[in-house]
C-alpha cells in the first residue's frame, strides 16, 4: 500500500485511517508493506508501533519519492536470540552451497525472460548455467549479466548510466530489497550477515543475497513499460509486481507471499544443511 497523505491508527478496530479529500479505512490485516511516498505525510506513533508489532514493512521515500529508508523492528520473532546464534553458526560450506543454488537460479530466471522476449542470447545463458562451479568461482553470474542486460535493453546499456531506465530498475530493486529485509527480520535473523555479500557498509547483505533470483521480475516489468518518464504512475506499476501471480511449491501465490515461502525454505536449508529444501518460484507464462 502507498500513502501520500495523513495517516493514523484506529486503535479500537485496528484500521489504518488515511485522511485526504476523502477518508479511507484499511484493516491492518490486509497490509504487508506500507510505502510512505510523500515527505509531507504525517504518521502517529501509535500507528508505527502497531505496524511493527504486526511485522508490516514500512518504507519511507525522499523528496523525489524514491525509497530512501525503512523501519525494522529490533525483534522480529519471539526466539530472535536463538535464531541469531543459529545464523552465526551456519557452516561456511552450507552457505556456499546455498549461494551456488541461488546464483544458478538467478541466471535461469534471466534465461527464461530472454526466451519469453524472443532473444537468442538465452542459449548462451543456458550454457553459463551448465558451467557454474561451486561458489560460482568462474563468475558465470557476471558474464550472464552483461549478455542479459545488453539483450534486454540494447548494446549501449550500462547499469551505471544516469537515466530513466536505471531509475526504474533501481526503484524496483529497492522495493524487493525491503521486502526481503522484512522476511529476514520477521523470522528473527539479522540482515547484516549474508551468504556471499559481505560489504561492511551494507546493512542488508543477507537480503542482497536472497533477492537475486527475483530481480528478473522487476526487469520484466520495466522492459514491458514505455518509459518516457518515471513518476508516480510508473512507480505504482513497479510496486504492483509484488501482486503478480507465480507458482511456488506447486501452488499459485502472489509474488509477495512467494517471497515468504522462498525465504523460509532458505532458512530451513541453512539450518538443516540441505539445499534440496529450497523452493524457487516459476512464472506463469
Amino acid at each position: 500500500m502507498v500513502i501520500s497523505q495523513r495517516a493514523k491508527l484506529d486503535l479500537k478496530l485496528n484500521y489504518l485511517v488515511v485522511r485526504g479529500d476523502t477518508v479511507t479505512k484499511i484493516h491492518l490485516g490486509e497490509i504487508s508493506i506500507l510505502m510512505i511516498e510523500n515527505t509531507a505525510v504525517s504518521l502517529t506513533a501509535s500507528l508505527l508501533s502497531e505496524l511493527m508489532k504486526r511485522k508490516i514493512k514500512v518504507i519511507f521515500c525522499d523528496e523525489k519519492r524514491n525509497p530512501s529508508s525503512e523501519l525494522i523492528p529490533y525483534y522480529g520473532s519471539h526466539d530472535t536470540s536463538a535464531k541469531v546464534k543459529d545464523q552465526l553458526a551456519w557452516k561456511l560450506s552450507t552457505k556456499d552451497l546455498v549461494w551456488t543454488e541461488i546464483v544458478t537460479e538467478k541466471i535461469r530466471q534471466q534465461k527464461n525472460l530472454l526466451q519469453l522476449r524472443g532473444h537468442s542470447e538465452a542459449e548462451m545463458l543456458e550454457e553459463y548455467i551448465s558451467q557454474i562451479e561451486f561458489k560460482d568461482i568462474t563468475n558465470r553470474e557476471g558474464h550472464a549479466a552483461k549478455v542479459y542486460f545488453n539483450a534486454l535493453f540494447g548494446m549501449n546499456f550500462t547499469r551505471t548510466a544516469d537515466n530513466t531506465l536505471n531509475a526504474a530498475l533501481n526503484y524496483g530493486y529497492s522495493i524487493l530489497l525491503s521486502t526481503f529485509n522484512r522476511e529476514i527480520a520477521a523470522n528473527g535473523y539479522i540482515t547484516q550477515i549474508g551468504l556471499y555479500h559481505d560489504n561492511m557498509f551494507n546493512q542488508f547483505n543477507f537480503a542482497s543475497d536472497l533477492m537475486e533470483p527475483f530481480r528478473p521480475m522487476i526487469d520484466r516489468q520495466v522492459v514491458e513499460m514505455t518509459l518516457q518518464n518515471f513518476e508516480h504512475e510508473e512507480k505504482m506499476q513497479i510496486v504492483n509486481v509484488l501482486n503478480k501471480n507465480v507458482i511456488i511449491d506447486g501452488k499459485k501465490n502472489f509474488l509477495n507471499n512467494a517471497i515468504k515461502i522462498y525465504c523460509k525454505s532458505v532458512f530451513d536449508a541453512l539450518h538443516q544443511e540441505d539445499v534440496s529444501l529450497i523452493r524457487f518460484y516459476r512464472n506463469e507464462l
Side-chain angles (χ1 to χ4, degrees):
M1 179 184 178
V2 179
I3 290 182
S4 56
Q5 304 169 78
R6 185 180 178 185
K8 71 173 187 178
L9 174 68
D10 184 326
L11 286 172
K12 292 183 179 179
L13 299 177
N14 285 322
Y15 277 92
L16 173 66
V17 181
V18 181
R19 298 186 182 279
D21 296 332
T22 60
V23 176
T24 303
K25 292 186 177 182
I26 303 169
H27 196 274
L28 294 182
E30 300 178 8
I31 305 172
S32 60
I33 298 177
L34 188 67
M35 178 178 288
I36 313 303
E37 189 189 29
N38 193 320
T39 55
V41 170
S42 174
L43 302 171
T44 63
S46 61
L47 171 60
L48 293 175
S49 178
E50 190 64 26
L51 292 173
M52 290 300 94
K53 289 179 184 177
R54 292 172 175 263
K55 301 179 183 179
I56 297 172
K57 170 64 66 176
V58 181
I59 303 171
F60 296 96
C61 294
D62 59 20
E63 70 281 357
K64 296 181 180 179
R65 300 194 173 187
N66 291 319
S68 61
S69 61
E70 59 187 49
L71 197 59
I72 299 177
Y74 281 134
Y75 305 105
S77 175
H78 69 282
D79 59 349
T80 293
S81 296
K83 291 290 184 62
V84 171
K85 288 180 181 178
D86 184 40
Q87 184 176 5
L88 294 173
W90 287 336
K91 291 182 179 179
L92 179 59
S93 58
T94 304
K95 293 196 292 185
D96 289 342
L97 281 170
V98 170
W99 172 247
T100 305
E101 292 295 315
I102 287 174
V103 75
T104 301
E105 182 63 20
K106 176 186 180 180
I107 300 175
R108 184 176 292 111
Q109 291 293 347
Q110 290 175 329
K111 180 208 71 173
N112 291 342
L113 179 54
L114 291 186
Q115 285 181 329
L116 177 68
R117 302 287 300 177
H119 295 292
S120 60
E121 289 85 351
E123 297 178 7
M124 191 176 299
L125 266 64
E126 181 68 45
E127 185 176 347
Y128 286 150
I129 292 172
S130 68
Q131 295 171 351
I132 289 181
E133 299 181 26
F134 181 62
K135 294 175 59 177
D136 190 27
I137 58 174
T138 57
N139 193 28
R140 296 299 92 183
E141 179 193 15
H143 292 290
K146 180 175 177 55
V147 172
Y148 169 75
F149 280 114
N150 285 342
L152 272 187
F153 301 117
M155 294 302 294
N156 294 324
F157 174 80
T158 63
R159 281 288 291 130
T160 57
D162 183 11
N163 54 37
T164 302
L165 190 55
N166 273 317
L169 291 172
N170 291 337
Y171 185 87
Y173 295 156
S174 68
I175 298 299
L176 273 185
L177 184 70
S178 293
T179 306
F180 278 92
N181 283 329
R182 177 197 67 198
E183 292 308 313
I184 293 168
N187 280 275
Y189 299 104
I190 52 180
T191 60
Q192 289 89 342
I193 300 177
L195 307 175
Y196 172 78
H197 290 83
D198 189 29
N199 188 327
M200 64 182 292
F201 302 109
N202 184 1
Q203 299 294 313
F204 310 119
N205 284 310
F206 200 7
S208 299
D209 291 323
L210 296 181
M211 69 180 280
E212 292 291 5
F214 290 76
R215 287 177 180 267
M217 291 292 294
I218 298 298
D219 303 336
R220 177 179 177 179
Q221 178 62 42
V222 171
V223 79
E224 291 176 352
M225 296 167 66
T226 303
L227 282 173
Q228 301 299 325
N229 300 296
F230 186 60
E231 298 178 352
H232 177 77
E233 182 178 346
E234 290 78 17
K235 290 176 180 178
M236 293 308 96
Q237 291 182 53
I238 291 178
V239 171
N240 194 51
V241 168
L242 294 174
N243 295 319
K244 300 284 188 181
N245 282 318
V246 296
I247 302 296
I248 188 166
D249 207 14
K251 298 178 182 178
K252 181 186 292 187
N253 279 276
F254 291 124
L255 183 66
N256 190 43
N257 195 50
I259 289 172
K260 294 182 180 181
I261 297 169
Y262 160 74
C263 285
K264 180 63 166 57
S265 75
V266 174
F267 302 148
D268 290 343
L270 288 161
H271 179 69
Q272 300 182 40
E273 301 179 15
D274 183 358
V275 294
S276 70
L277 297 175
I278 301 176
R279 297 290 179 262
F280 292 113
Y281 75 95
R282 64 179 177 85
N283 283 290
E284 284 194 296
L285 302 179

